[in-house]
Amino acid sequence: MSTAYESQLEVSVDVPARAPYSTVLQQGQELAIIDLGGNQAVDFLCYDANDTSKRYSAAATIAAQGNIFLTTGSVLRTQEGAPLLTVVADTCGRHDTLGGACSKESNSLRYGQHTRYQHACVENFLAEGAKWGLGKRDLVSNVNWYMNVPVEADGTLGIVDGISAPGLEVRLRAETDVLVLVSNCPQINNPCNGFDPTPVRMVVISPGVAA
């Protein structure tokens, strides 16, 4: 029997601007998130696929790594501290854990009542999460891949022009079976998407299998 191995197997999906996406990664699979147009925030939640009560915790993740930003080597952890996903490659260099997801309510508060009826990330998470039996109580503080949220000198958070560019990629490895929820952010009222939301590419990469 041959011991040669096939190249890695890939399944690629382009997620339209403003749209949601979800998938289950099996342990050992990787997910590449590619910023096709540049400066596009990708809101992201993840759960243990076998027990969704175990889900990403910003607090546990930040405490374990001693850094509020994510990059290569960062481990996304549950509230119990168990690893869900590890960042194994990152050509952008820094990603946000604090800015949260836009919603109709936060848009109204920040930008005026005329924005209340604009589509937002919370609505994407609810619609996509419902496919997996998740509801509003299952939403927690999320990761914002490619979003630039510096901490200002006075301690406030800024939402400023991104540091991403077309074709940059962050790649995550599943440390257990993981349910991933994504909102390709629809926000048009601040610079997180360059005021022009664009598509992103999701590539699920499986280890090579015996030929």
Side-chain angles (χ1 to χ4, degrees):
M1 180 180 294
S2 172
T3 58
Y5 283 80
E6 296 176 357
S7 60
Q8 291 179 322
L9 306 177
E10 300 185 358
V11 177
S12 178
V13 175
D14 284 0
V15 182
R18 303 177 175 85
Y21 167 84
S22 62
T23 193
V24 170
L25 301 174
Q26 303 300 314
Q27 184 178 19
Q29 286 186 315
E30 296 180 1
L31 175 65
I33 304 172
I34 302 170
D35 188 0
L36 296 175
N39 203 23
Q40 173 62 36
V42 181
D43 290 44
F44 182 96
L45 288 170
C46 54
Y47 305 78
D48 185 321
N50 299 304
D51 181 358
T52 56
S53 70
K54 300 175 181 178
R55 67 278 307 266
Y56 167 73
S57 167
T61 298
I62 292 167
Q65 69 173 10
N67 194 323
I68 63 172
F69 300 113
L70 301 176
T71 189
T72 305
S74 294
V75 179
L76 278 62
R77 298 181 181 274
T78 68
Q79 63 271 40
E80 296 85 10
L84 289 170
L85 296 158
T86 298
V87 182
V88 295
D90 176 21
T91 56
C92 179
R94 191 179 73 188
H95 306 268
D96 169 61
T97 61
L98 300 179
C102 59
S103 66
K104 292 181 178 181
E105 293 78 11
S106 65
N107 281 344
S108 301
L109 181 64
R110 292 172 177 169
Y111 311 114
Q113 286 296 322
H114 67 285
T115 67
R116 184 173 183 82
Y117 301 101
Q118 293 176 358
H119 195 52
C121 285
V122 167
E123 284 67 46
N124 272 345
F125 282 145
L126 289 173
E128 199 67 17
K131 299 176 182 179
W132 305 92
L134 301 176
K136 196 165 189 178
R137 290 184 178 182
D138 297 302
L139 300 189
V140 293
S141 296
N142 59 285
V143 174
N144 292 305
W145 301 113
Y146 302 109
M147 188 169 166
N148 189 16
V149 184
V151 179
E152 308 294 359
D154 62 359
T156 59
L157 300 179
I159 298 177
V160 297
D161 288 340
I163 59 174
S164 184
L168 294 191
E169 171 184 327
V170 59
R171 187 179 293 202
L172 311 165
R173 183 184 64 230
E175 305 300 349
T176 186
D177 296 346
V178 177
L179 168 62
V180 167
L181 296 185
V182 166
S183 171
N184 193 18
C185 184
Q187 184 61 256
I188 58 173
N189 301 292
N190 69 49
C192 72
N193 299 322
F195 301 101
D196 181 24
T198 52
V200 295
R201 180 167 296 155
M202 302 289 168
V203 184
V204 176
I205 304 160
S206 299
V209 296

